[in-house]
Amino acid sequence: MTAFNATFAEVVPVGTDFETASRRIAGLTAQGGTRLQPGLAAVLGSAPVRPDEVHVVAVICDGELSDADYAQCQTLVHAGRERGVRFIPVLIGDGVDAQAAWRQAFGSAVPCLDLSSLAATLKATLTALRRRTA
């Protein structure tokens, strides 16, 4: 898992046990100055290429991006889709107000009005995606 704001950092490496991952995720805080493109580029650049798997990138954001960042992300999303990557932007908090811009850049946006339902929202979205790609 990669966290992003003005910069990005891998917070939960692949293979991290559940308890450690939970602690690290619980320690995340909103810091403002969101710039997604560098983190998204890093995630896509390190994505495993396995023909028997579908790579899914979930972006959970509580705010808006700049117009330039949306445009750069849209370019990355287009290139990622050509490689079979699927994107799920989940908008929480004030991010819900920016659904139109997220839809334009990512092709979709999933609002999550109640933070306590974030896991259920992500699970339902992944389940729907699995049905469409099966």
Side-chain angles (χ1 to χ4, degrees), residues 5-130:
N5 50 36
T7 61
F8 68 93
E10 184 176 39
V11 178
V12 181
V14 174
T16 301
D17 67 89
F18 179 79
E19 300 246 346
T20 301
S22 295
R23 278 194 309 278
R24 289 181 180 174
I25 291 168
L28 294 174
T29 58
Q31 297 177 2
T34 301
R35 186 151 162 12
L36 178 56
Q37 185 275 335
L40 187 59
V43 166
L44 292 172
S46 65
V49 180
R50 297 182 182 131
D52 59 332
E53 293 183 356
V54 175
H55 187 91
V56 178
V57 175
V59 177
I60 302 168
C61 189
D62 67 346
E64 295 183 47
L65 306 177
S66 70
D67 291 341
D69 204 21
Y70 280 123
Q72 293 167 338
C73 288
Q74 186 174 20
T75 300
L76 288 172
V77 167
H78 179 73
R81 282 201 180 113
E82 288 180 351
R83 294 183 6 230
V85 178
R86 306 295 194 276
F87 296 88
I88 303 172
V90 178
L91 307 178
I92 59 175
D94 293 338
V96 172
D97 298 333
Q99 287 181 61
W102 281 88
R103 281 192 181 102
Q104 183 174 350
F106 285 82
S108 66
V110 179
C112 182
L113 301 176
D114 177 12
L115 196 54
S116 67
S117 67
L118 180 59
T121 298
L122 192 53
K123 180 180 178 182
T125 305
L126 286 166
T127 300
L129 177 62
R130 173 178 265 172

